[in-house]
Structures are given as structure tokens and as C-alpha cells.
Amino acid sequence: MLDYIIMGMVLEKELTGYDIKKKVENSVGTFYKANYGRLYPALNKLTEKGCLIMNEQMQGKRIKKYYKTTELGKEAFLEWLSAPVDMNMSGEAQLAQIFFFGELPKEVRDKRLQEYAFFIEQGLNPLQNIAKMLPNDNSDEKDYFGIAALYYGIQAMHNTLRWLNHIREQKPFSQFLRKHDE
Amino acid sequence: MLDYIIMGMVLEKELTGYDIKKKVENSVGTFYKANYGRLYPALNKLTEKGCLIMNEQMQGKRIKKYYKTTELGKEAFLEWLSAPVDMNMSGEAQLAQIFFFGELPKEVRDKRLQEYAFFIEQGLNPLQNIAKMLPNDNSDEKDYFGIAALYYGIQAMHNTLRWLNHIREQKPFSQFLRKHDE
DNA sequence: GATTCCATGTAAATGGTTACATGATTCT
DNA sequence: AGAATCATGTAACCATTTACATGGAATC
């Protein structure tokens, strides 16, 4: 996963490992955390494999290593990107993939987004059935937070579906966020 | 984390490892995945530590091992549960903790929920500032999905805050889910 | 009688974090 | 001058997944 995120970050502009980490933080950062402990080793491995090219530059007395994705890397990246979203991964990791969907041809992208919505609906149904069978009154105090977690999941899935509908049509986000009734 | 989830699952009723996995799946399952590869070793370690008691029972020719949380285990569980939610963990893992909040005294629980809401607001602010500075028009096609991910994050945080407000007052969930405008 | 589910585990491989180590550059 | 940040890495440790291995019990 980190490999693909790195390659996605330096598709066009070359960056240092340090820059890449910063870029990850303030873009996909909400969904994916990188740290130097595996970032730098990953950069070396990807360079060895030929997925990145490294370009050393001197800045005063310091060597800076700039990385950029090669054609081979681009292929690997697009292969990963165009594969169906892996539902075994955490929701956050799934979002990290969709983050790059702008790099995908519209056809493939739409297919994947629809597919993804379908998977979420499939996960949503059993949860909704459980919710329906639950007693309406606050019967057992101790169970409340378990039920709350269930509803959290249902809500989150609903919201993801709404979001997917939105981005499938590439609507602007000016009116995406809703007012919240206190 | 798994240790505490296990202990939380067998606070009152004794279960086998197999049962525990099932119970995790259809309760916190949306947020936390267990697998036998670490579940069984974890059961042994917790038993050695004295956090669980094991009770072997014969069912025909098969030995079944039932586990239950000891007093020592309960203490450890409650200590974990009453600590502030660790914001370095994934959002899913955070929810897995709140799942057990029914076991917490109201005072501690309310404090933790308010604290948690505060942390989320703190994470939300920078994202909202980025969103505000973004050009309103769909300037760059390729950036659209990056921006979409940003809005997803903002939406998710808003929803979490709304949910937290709801559960802090222990409101029933009959009207929690909103209708979705297509 | 075969398949599915119940039930318990282990071992190898992989994945990932944390702390450490070092030093240059830029800002105050 | 001192602090913060830029910049690159390693090593030890810890966590986690996957595949394998085994067999009883219940269901069709």
C-alpha cells in the first residue's frame, strides 16, 4: 500500500523522502500514516525495482535525493489503482485508494465506484436487519453503547454511499456538507 | 487492543475462543477484525497472566475451553476503558473502545465522550480551513478526487460529532438515521 | 456419505512502529 | 547562539496475517 501511495505522490513532480512524507500528511493523511522507518526503505526498494528513479542533488553540503515514478512504476501504480477496492482492508485504506481515482480513465473509475457502492450496500443490509430487530425502548442500559456502535456503522455507510453518489457525478462540493441540527 | 476486546467479551458469560471470534464479528466486527492466529495465543497469554480463567469441558470426544474474565482482568479492562481514547489509533479502533462504554460509570464516560468530541473538533478545524481556501470551481479535473477525500473526512468527522452528541444524552436511536436526498 | 461448521492451534512470513543516530540549514 | 526544521537512514522490537494441520460434530 505504501509503495503505491509513494508512486502516486511522485507521478509528475520529483520529491525527496522528506517532502513525500509531508505531502502524504496533508493530503491522504486523514486515512494513511507514513513514517520514516518504512518510507526510506520503501524508496530504496522501489528504486531497485525500477519503479522510481532517484536523482541526487547537492544543496550546500547536503545531499538531497529526489524521487520520481518511472514508466514501470506508473504501470504498477495504475494496475493497483484500477483493481477493485479491497474490502478486507480498513475503510481508511480504501479511501486512500480512491484518493487517486483522478488518475483513472472515467470508464474504469465509474465501474469501480459503482462496484464499491454495491459492496458497501451488501455490508449495510445485515446491519440494518439487526437494527430492525432491536427493541425500540432503551431496554438494557449496558447494551446501549453496543447498539450505538451499530448505528454508527450504519450511519457511516450511508454517508459513504451519499458521498459516492456525489463524486460519481463529479458534482462540486460547495453544497456537499449538510447543516447539523443540534 | 485485542486483549481488551477479549476481556470485554467474556466479562459475564464464559465462551470458547471460537465463540469469542463469532461474538466479535457480529458486534464490534465493523470496526475490529480478529483472527485465530492471534486470538488463541492471546487467550493463552491472558490466562497465564491471570486475566482470564479457563475451564475445560468435554463435549463427546472433544475438549472445549471456556474462558471468562477474572477480577484482575476486569481491573485491567476497566483501566484501559477509562483511559482517554488514543487518537493515534485508527478511527475504527477508537470506536471499538467506545463500544464498551456501557461498562463505565456515567461520570467517567461523559468526560471521555466530551474529550473525544474535542479531539475530533481539533482535527476537523485544519481540514475545514483547507476546504475554505480551495477554489470553488472545478478547476483541475485531476485534483477532484483528492478534494473529494478531504470532504469525505470532514463529513465523517461531522457525523461522528453528531453521533457523540446523541449518545452522550443516551437518546434512543429510533430517529437517529436521516433520510438521504438523492 | 459428503459437506459444512465447530474447535484449537502453530509456524513462517510479512508488515509496521519506535527509538536511535547524525548532521545541515534556516529562522528568531 | 539556540531552536526548529530539513534530511536520511538503521536496528531492534513488536504486531499481524496467512497458510497449514488436525479432527470431532452436526446437517443435508
Side-chain angles (χ1 to χ4, degrees), chain B residues 53-103:
Chain B
I53 23 158
M54 194 257 286
N55 162 3
E56 284 183 326
Q57 287 191 4
M58 291 299 280
Q59 192 193 36
K61 285 182 186 176
R62 177 160 58 184
I63 304 161
K64 289 175 86 172
K65 298 183 174 182
Y66 286 91
Y67 295 91
K68 202 184 167 199
T69 310
T70 62
E71 276 309 309
L72 186 72
K74 228 170 258 186
E75 273 171 45
F77 172 76
L78 284 174
E79 202 189 309
W80 165 75
L81 191 62
S82 47
V85 176
D86 183 354
M87 299 307 282
N88 288 321
M89 293 194 306
S90 75
E92 274 139 346
Q94 290 161 13
L95 266 297
Q97 186 179 343
I98 295 176
F99 177 83
F100 293 107
F101 267 23
E103 304 293 335

Side-chain angles (χ1 to χ4, degrees), chain A residues 9-163:
Chain A
M9 288 295 161
V10 288
L11 283 174
E12 265 128 48
K13 198 187 163 194
E14 58 173 21
L15 295 173
T16 66
Y18 192 89
D19 292 334
I20 291 169
K21 191 179 178 242
K22 286 220 135 179
K23 195 174 178 181
V24 169
E25 267 165 17
N26 50 49
S27 59
V28 268
T30 325
F31 314 116
Y32 197 87
K33 315 282 170 205
N35 60 28
Y36 296 126
R38 43 191 188 125
L39 181 64
Y40 284 114
L43 288 171
N44 289 328
K45 260 177 250 161
L46 287 169
T47 308
E48 272 172 42
K49 274 193 198 168
C51 290
L52 295 177
I53 23 157
M54 193 258 286
N55 162 4
E56 284 182 327
Q57 287 190 6
M58 292 301 278
Q59 193 195 36
K61 284 182 185 175
R62 176 159 60 184
I63 304 160
K64 289 175 88 171
K65 296 182 174 182
Y66 285 92
Y67 294 91
K68 203 184 167 194
T69 310
T70 61
E71 275 310 308
L72 186 71
K74 228 169 256 186
E75 274 173 43
F77 173 75
L78 284 174
E79 201 187 310
W80 165 75
L81 191 61
S82 48
V85 176
D86 184 355
M87 298 308 280
N88 288 322
M89 293 194 307
S90 75
E92 273 139 345
Q94 290 161 13
L95 265 297
Q97 187 180 343
I98 296 176
F99 176 84
F100 292 109
F101 267 23
E103 303 294 334
L104 229 45
K106 234 175 249 175
E107 288 177 10
V108 184
R109 181 170 71 209
D110 284 358
K111 200 180 168 188
R112 291 295 166 239
L113 288 174
Q114 273 183 17
E115 208 174 59
Y116 187 55
F118 177 74
F119 286 145
I120 287 173
E121 273 163 25
Q122 283 220 315
L124 182 55
N125 284 331
L127 295 190
Q128 277 178 328
N129 289 332
I130 295 169
K132 271 177 205 162
M133 293 193 305
L134 248 37
N136 290 4
D137 50 353
N138 282 16
S139 48
D140 205 338
E141 270 264 339
K142 279 213 173 173
D143 290 345
Y144 181 82
F145 289 88
I147 296 168
L150 172 69
Y151 275 94
Y152 181 91
I154 292 173
Q155 181 194 234
M157 285 176 177
H158 272 156
N159 287 320
T160 304
L161 288 174
R162 178 172 170 269
W163 179 75

